[in-house]
Every structure is written in structure tokens, then in C-alpha cells.
């Protein structure tokens, strides 16, 4: 962490603020060397008209505020399937505004140089690196872009004989660590991720309760609160509106079925990735697998993946303790440790 005290005990500001950002499809987080820790939903909203602008008293809103006022704003979630949406200039502007907002949350001092390490989904590292660089240009002096699972591995200190599975909203990213910076061959990405679970749950609930009015936002909130895998005696019951009245719905089977849909592709992709390494490395990695990202918070996820892999031997899979901030913490650690040659001057 930066030293913010001068030799005579007076408060001072370091010449450089190091910032770690986890730029996710659903949520983004920032931590910085001055002790700031914040997160936002990865949504950006612009007031639709002068009435909305008068009500919000802002030209642009972010995160929960943008979602809450979604009827009054043009709402953009600029990352889709782990990359910047290939659409309008509004998507590029949304990424730029989101990064600006996250760096502001880090509270840099006046004239303080900013070294920003940005963790992105593995696929965005190859597809969107230039676009992300352009988005950061105005707000940082130097930049390093890394894959999110690598940032998680760095935060854990799992730098050798380990694998990180980062279950996000847009993608599930895999990264094997073997004592060096990971290459493209060490990483994989799946588009069957959190958004896919939301769609499955939405369709299952609509089929069971066709008269109930649902929205993507509501279904996502239900999944995040009640998501689980495996058998349980506890029923999942939620109150939802039907013809103006709130009615209790039992969605125990539907939410389990939707969440379980992630397990087979994760197991298949992990085996395919691990099998490309020599047998001794494979055996070590099997005992050192970490599950991160929002999907790691689904109850029973780590055990379900291990169970799906039982035909291939014993796997030890651990869910990380702080999935919301661990990627940003790893990015900050990289920002503090990386030699100058890994940085891009802006």
C-alpha cells in the first residue's frame, strides 16, 4: 500500500496512485493503493429527455442507480459475452464512462499519476485490448490489461500448478498457472455463463407460471439470492405479481435446474484444458483448482464440479472467499509488483 504519511507525521499524497480494476460483464470493482474499495453493477444510463435529466440531476448515472431508473434512462450494459458489444458508439462511450467512474471512486489526488491495471474477461484480452486502452487513455498515465482469472490467481498467490475458473455473467474463463505469465494456450472461455443461467431460469419460470409477469432484472436477482445446486430439503419460494396480486411461487426445481446447466460445460472444458499438459502437471493442478466470479457464490457449485469430474479422478476445488473484490485486488497487486516493461504509456 502507498505510504500517505511524511517523515514529520503530516499527511501527504504519493506521486503515483496504483489502481486495480476488475471490469466485468455484470459487476465491476476497483481497489487502489490509497485504500479505496468500491464496486458497481456494469450499467451506464443517460437520461432519456429533459424531464429525466431534471429528476436525476445528472448527465450520466451508473450501477444500481442506472438500474433503478431504467425507465428514465437509455440503459447500456456495454460488455456482452465477455467483450465490448459490437454495436454503436454508445457502447464504446459506456465503457469509457464506466472506467472514468471507477477511477473517480478510487479518489486520486490532484495531479497524482495513475497506474491502472485492468482485469478483463479472457476473450476481451485478445478482442478488445485496443478498445480498452482507448477507453482508459484519458484517465490513466500507464495501463496494463490482464485476464481476470490471472488476476485472481495472482491475488491468491496460486502462481504454479493451479487453475482458476472465473464464472462471470458473460463468460466462464479458465486459466492454468505454471510459474510464468499465462499465454493464450493456458486460457479458455465459455459463453455459457451467468447470463445463460438467467435465461434458463426465466424460461423455466415462464413455463411453470405463465400468468406471472417477469423481467430479466427480477430473475437475475432471484438467482443471485437463491442460486443452488444439489438436493435440498429447503424449498425456494418467492412472491411474484399475478394480475396485481403477489402470489407465492415454489421455484425449487427450476432454480436448481438452471444453475446445474453450468456444470457439464465447465467439467468438459476443464478436462480438455488440463489434458494438454504433461501427466505430472495434470495431477498437481487437479488438487489446486479455484472457483471465482459471481457464479462461485451459487451454493454447491464447487462440489458439483468436483462430482462431475469424478470419473477422471480426485479433484480438489475451492470457492474463493471474496469473489466480488478478489480480481480487483489481484490487479492492484500486479500494479504494485509489475516491472516497467509490462506497462503501456498512455
Amino acid at each position: 500500500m502507498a505510504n500517505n504519511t511524511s517523515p514529520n507525521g503530516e499527511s501527504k499524497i504519493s506521486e503515483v496512485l496504483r489502481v486495480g480494476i476488475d471490469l466485468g460483464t455484470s459487476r465491476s470493482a476497483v481497489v487502489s493503493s490509497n485504500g479505496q474499495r468500491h464496486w458497481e453493477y456494469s450499467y451506464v444510463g443517460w437520461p432519456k429527455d429533459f424531464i429525466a435529466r431534471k429528476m436525476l440531476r445528472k448527465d450520466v448515472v451508473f450501477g444500481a442507480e442506472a438500474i433503478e431508473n431504467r425507465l428514465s434512462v437509455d440503459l447500456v450494459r456495454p460488455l456482452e459475452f465477455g467483450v465490448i458489444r459490437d454495436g454503436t458508439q454508445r457502447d464504446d462511450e459506456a465503457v469509457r464512462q464506466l472506467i472514468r467512474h471507477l477511477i473517480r471512486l478510487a479518489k486520486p489526488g490532484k495531479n497524482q499519476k495513475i497506474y491502472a491495471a485492468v482485469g478483463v474477461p479472457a476473450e476481451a484480452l485478445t478482442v478488445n485490448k485496443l478498445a480498452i486502452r482507448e477507453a482508459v487513455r484519458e484517465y490513466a498515465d500507464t495501463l496494463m490489461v490482464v485476464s481476470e482469472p490471472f488476476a485472481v490467481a495472482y491475488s491468491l498467490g496460486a502462481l504454479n500448478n493451479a487453475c482458476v475458473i472465473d464464472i462471470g455473467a458473460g463468460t466462464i474463463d479458465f486459466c492454468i498457472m505454471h510459474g510464468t505469465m499465462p499465454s493464450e494456450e493456458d486460457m479458455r472461455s465459455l459463453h455459457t455463463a451467468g447470463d445463460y443461467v438467467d435465461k434458463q431460469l426465466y424460461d423455466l419460470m415462464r413455463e411453470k407460471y405463465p400468468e406471472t409477469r417477469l423481467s430479466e432484472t427480477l430473475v437475475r436477482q432471484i438467482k443471485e439470492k437463491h442460486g443452488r445446486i444439489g438436493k435440498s430439503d429447503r424449498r425456494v419460494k418467492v412472491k411474484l405479481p399475478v394480475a396485481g396480486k403477489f402470489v407465492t411461487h415454489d421455484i425449487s426445481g427450476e432454480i436448481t435446474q438452471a444453475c446445474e446447466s453450468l456444470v457439464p460445460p465447465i467439467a468438459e472444458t476443464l478436462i480438455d484444458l488440463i489434458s494438454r499438459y504433461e501427466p505430472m502437471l495434470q495431477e498437481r493442478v487437479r488438487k489446486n483448482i479455484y472457483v471465482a466470479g459471481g457464479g462461485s457464490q451459487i451454493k454447491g457449485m464447487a462440489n458439483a464440479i468436483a462430482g462431475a469430474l469424478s470419473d477422471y479422478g480426485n479433484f480438489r476445488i475451492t470457492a474463493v472467499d471474496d469473489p466480488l473484490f478478489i480480481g480487483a485486488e489481484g490487479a492492484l497487486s500486479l500494479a504494485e509488483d509489475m516491472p516497467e516493461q509490462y506497462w503501456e504509456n498512455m
Side-chain angles (χ1 to χ4, degrees), residues 162-335:
C163 178
V164 170
I165 306 172
D166 188 3
I167 307 175
T171 60
I172 300 176
D173 294 325
F174 301 73
C175 179
I176 286 187
M177 298 296 300
H178 46 80
T180 64
M181 292 280 288
S183 66
E184 289 187 25
E185 290 73 23
D186 300 317
M187 295 184 284
R188 292 284 188 283
S189 287
L190 290 175
H191 289 170
T192 305
D195 287 348
Y196 175 82
V197 173
D198 298 343
K199 179 64 165 58
Q200 297 301 304
L201 182 56
Y202 182 94
D203 291 343
L204 289 167
M205 291 175 64
R206 281 293 303 272
E207 182 178 355
K208 186 174 183 180
Y209 301 109
E211 296 181 358
T212 300
R213 181 157 187 176
L214 300 172
S215 69
E216 293 180 3
T217 300
L218 175 62
V219 171
R220 183 179 299 115
Q221 290 172 346
I222 291 172
K223 179 204 68 178
E224 291 176 352
K225 182 176 181 180
H226 299 287
R228 69 183 191 186
I229 295 175
K231 294 181 180 180
S232 175
D233 294 331
R234 187 173 182 179
R235 310 304 294 176
V236 177
K237 296 181 179 181
V238 295
K239 289 186 176 181
L240 300 172
V242 178
K245 296 181 181 180
F246 279 88
V247 178
T248 299
H249 296 62
D250 188 329
I251 59 166
S252 306
E254 287 70 28
I255 198 161
T256 299
Q257 182 179 341
C259 291
E260 285 179 345
S261 66
L262 291 184
V263 176
I266 290 175
E268 181 180 344
T269 303
L270 181 61
I271 287 297
D272 179 65
L273 182 57
I274 290 178
S275 65
R276 298 171 183 266
Y277 296 88
E278 61 182 79
M280 185 174 294
L281 177 61
Q282 290 184 33
E283 187 62 29
R284 291 171 179 170
V285 171
R286 288 167 189 259
K287 295 178 170 60
N288 206 16
I289 298 173
Y290 298 91
V291 182
S296 69
Q297 296 179 292
I298 295 174
K299 296 179 183 66
M301 176 60 77
N303 289 337
I305 297 172
L309 295 166
S310 60
D311 289 344
Y312 298 91
N314 294 323
F315 287 76
R316 186 169 65 207
I317 302 177
T318 305
V320 301
D321 291 332
D322 188 6
L324 188 56
F325 281 104
I326 193 170
E329 293 281 5
L332 175 60
S333 295
L334 284 163

Side-chain angles (χ1 to χ4, degrees), residues 73-89:
V73 301
D74 292 322
L75 188 66
V76 177
R77 187 170 75 155
L79 274 75
E80 188 174 70
F81 301 121
V83 297
I84 299 174
R85 296 198 317 172
D86 185 15
T88 66
Q89 292 181 347

